[in-house]
Amino acid sequence: MNTRQLVFKNALVGLMVLSLLLAGNLTASAQLRGFDVVAENEYLRLHLHPRTTEIAVEDLRNDVMWFSNPQDRNRQRGRILERLSSQLTIRHDPNGVLKNNGRFSIPYNQFEINSIDQGVRIDYRIVEEWRPEHYVPHMVSYDNLHENIISKIVRDRDRDDVIDQYDLIMLTPLGDGTRMELPGLTKDQLFGDYTVAILNQDYKDRIARLSELQTELAEVEKQIAQSSTDELTSLKTRLERDIRNNISQSERQRTDIIWRLVYKVQGFRLDLERIDDVRFDDIAQLVDTPTYLLKDIPRFIMSDLQQIITRTGYTPIEATEDHLENNLDPHLPNLQTFTVPMEYSLDGPNLVVRIPSGEIEY
């Protein structure tokens, strides 16, 4: 296939372009924060936001402002926000796949802005070169996550949202401890002389609470041995129930994390066909090294997580380095790309929006 090929030559392609929206009654200066003037005549003034590529058209005759995108769209999240932030959408291949520049171009600065007569041209490179999960490290050391991502996130809520999607673990010496039975895992060949320590605050709080309950139960049993009462017996029953529930929740969380660790390693390695192919050498980097393990999260949360992480400047290249440190294979990019030019120009009292179809490339 010719690398410079019109998309409509070999694929079903449609272009859905923006419709201009009437703004509210804000002053022009408040509405146009971040915009630059790119063209003007006696009727209209054309503004462009160089980071989002949205435009605004100011009617100089009646002081009305029109925008290519809703100015209150940041109240939305996820795919809705992406669509409202887009100026065009392409539909391609027999399955009618949709890709808009609000998701596949603008967030990665994959566009070029150039002046034209009485207007501006923007060439969008629309490509899902990296999927959202490629921006999110599936295993990353505590130090790397906090230095390269968490420290660069502005909002406290966003920092919490990122950390909440991970479990913090490391391998520590087993010593005289016993392993929890996990049917289907050969734990000695996998963990050697070590065990998985869970460093999540909620898990540590639960273990601390278990210790408190056991201490309280021991004291109640001493009192019952001296003088049993209905009140003490009822308290003993409640404490035993709470202890069982606490142990059950702790073991369930621990089991889930261990299985997820094994499946994560096996799933990211082309040389490991089955989970029982995973050996200690594959996780030895966790010895005394606190490491974040990504939870199983839905795609929409992954997309939100990717957006937070992308704003820090962290890229799939850094994610690949963190994966290699944890014996995971790197992600491979998708090389399917579209280049779509879009032109805005003033023609007397009219705004002309044009897509030169002969210059669309796949």
Side-chain angles (χ1 to χ4, degrees), residues 250-315:
S250 300
E251 289 183 349
R252 191 182 310 118
Q253 183 177 6
R254 183 178 180 80
T255 298
D256 172 72
I257 289 174
I258 291 175
W259 275 113
R260 186 155 21 94
L261 169 63
V262 176
Y263 276 110
K264 188 76 71 179
V265 173
Q266 187 270 329
F268 269 80
R269 292 276 295 276
L270 294 177
D271 59 329
L272 302 176
E273 295 184 3
R274 303 179 304 275
I275 59 171
D276 53 4
D277 291 333
V278 182
R279 297 291 189 271
F280 175 74
D281 287 345
D282 300 314
I283 60 172
Q285 76 282 355
L286 299 178
V287 173
D288 295 329
T289 303
T291 299
Y292 285 104
L293 174 68
L294 187 67
K295 297 177 181 177
D296 294 328
I297 56 179
R299 185 169 180 82
F300 75 93
I301 293 181
M302 179 68 79
S303 180
D304 289 344
L305 197 59
Q306 175 249 319
Q307 291 182 33
I308 295 173
I309 290 176
T310 299
R311 290 195 290 268
T312 70
Y314 185 89
T315 71

Side-chain angles (χ1 to χ4, degrees), residues 175-188:
D176 296 330
T178 58
R179 300 192 191 282
M180 184 172 62
E181 288 301 318
L182 291 175
L185 276 184
T186 307
K187 293 174 290 300
D188 289 338

Side-chain angles (χ1 to χ4, degrees), residues 6-8 15 339-341 354-361:
L6 298 184
V7 282
F8 50 80
L15 284 168
T339 300
V340 181
R354 177 174 175 265
I355 292 180
S357 60
E359 300 179 41
I360 299 174
E361 296 178 6

Side-chain angles (χ1 to χ4, degrees), residues 346-360:
L346 302 181
D347 182 9
N350 301 310
L351 170 70
V352 178
V353 181
R354 177 174 175 265
I355 292 180
S357 60
E359 300 179 41
I360 299 174

Side-chain angles (χ1 to χ4, degrees), residues 10-205:
N10 241 3
L12 174 65
V13 176
L15 284 168
M16 290 163 278
V17 188
L18 78 171
S19 58
L20 297 180
L21 303 171
L22 182 62
N25 295 321
L26 299 176
T27 63
S29 59
Q31 291 173 299
L32 294 172
R33 189 173 294 114
F35 285 78
D36 298 329
V37 176
V38 292
E40 183 176 356
N41 61 24
E42 60 183 304
Y43 304 101
L44 304 173
R45 185 178 291 133
L46 178 61
H47 304 260
L48 172 75
H49 197 298
R51 184 176 61 80
T52 65
T53 73
E54 61 192 299
I55 67 159
V57 180
E58 186 178 355
D59 192 326
L60 302 177
R61 297 163 296 180
N62 53 26
D63 209 24
V64 173
M65 189 75 66
W66 302 79
F67 289 90
S68 59
N69 303 84
Q71 296 302 286
D72 60 351
R73 64 185 181 276
N74 286 324
R75 298 174 184 175
Q76 306 295 330
R77 299 188 68 187
R79 296 296 172 81
I80 296 176
L81 176 59
E82 290 168 357
R83 288 198 297 271
L84 294 177
S85 300
S86 302
Q87 290 78 42
L88 63 89
T89 298
I90 63 172
R91 183 183 65 197
H92 68 95
D93 81 27
N95 296 319
V97 173
L98 298 177
K99 289 184 179 177
N100 60 57
N101 65 328
R103 178 182 177 195
F104 296 106
S105 178
I106 294 170
Y108 314 117
N109 295 314
Q110 294 174 168
F111 57 85
E112 182 178 340
I113 300 173
N114 289 291
S115 296
I116 60 174
D117 185 33
Q118 279 298 295
V120 67
R121 170 175 167 139
I122 308 164
D123 290 275
Y124 293 103
R125 183 166 173 261
I126 299 176
V127 53
E128 190 177 19
E129 185 171 4
W130 302 101
R131 294 193 298 275
E133 58 268 28
H134 293 169
Y135 288 80
V136 179
H138 288 246
M139 288 183 68
V140 53
S141 71
Y142 177 95
D143 290 342
N144 284 359
L145 183 77
H146 283 265
E147 179 179 349
N148 299 327
I149 296 177
I150 300 300
S151 66
K152 299 177 182 179
I153 297 175
V154 176
R155 297 196 304 175
D156 291 340
R157 186 182 71 181
D158 288 343
R159 285 194 290 268
D160 292 340
D161 286 347
V162 171
I163 292 176
D164 285 347
Q165 304 310 320
Y166 288 91
D167 290 305
L168 185 60
I169 63 173
M170 70 177 180
L171 292 181
T172 57
L174 177 63
D176 296 330
T178 58
R179 300 192 191 282
M180 184 172 62
E181 288 301 318
L182 291 175
L185 276 184
T186 307
K187 293 174 290 300
D188 289 338
Q189 75 175 20
L190 177 58
F191 297 115
D193 297 326
Y194 294 85
T195 187
V196 177
I198 300 172
L199 308 179
N200 293 0
Q201 191 58 51
D202 62 334
Y203 184 84
K204 293 163 68 174
D205 290 344

